[in-house]
Amino acid sequence: DTLSVPADKFVAALTNRTYDLDSRTAWKAGCSHTVSGTPTFFTNGVLDNTLSSDTTSTQWKQYLDNLLG
């Protein structure tokens, strides 16, 4: 699959200082929460090991329904 992003916009995003700072901040936050790979899921700031890339939409719905009560 390919994304329909024009090359000039893609390159501009890579060199955009705001995106650079945002990604560095996210990386540091992940490191401080012992994230070692993706996907990693947090619920209310707490690492949640019950979710994974194999979690189905039905399981996500059940998980979120349980959180919302």
Side-chain angles (χ1 to χ4, degrees):
D1 292 327
T2 61
L3 297 175
S4 58
V5 177
D8 59 328
K9 287 188 178 187
F10 180 78
V11 171
L14 290 176
T15 58
N16 182 303
R17 184 74 175 144
T18 299
Y19 295 144
D20 179 55
L21 293 175
D22 287 348
S23 63
R24 289 173 187 269
T25 300
W27 179 80
K28 288 180 181 181
C31 289
S32 72
H33 287 90
T34 66
V35 172
S36 61
T38 59
T40 302
F41 300 99
F42 290 84
T43 302
N44 295 329
V46 177
L47 179 64
D48 191 323
N49 290 320
T50 65
L51 303 169
S52 74
S53 60
D54 296 325
T55 304
T56 66
S57 59
T58 302
Q59 291 168 319
W60 269 106
K61 183 179 181 329
Q62 180 181 13
Y63 177 82
L64 295 171
D65 286 345
N66 287 339
L67 285 177
L68 298 173

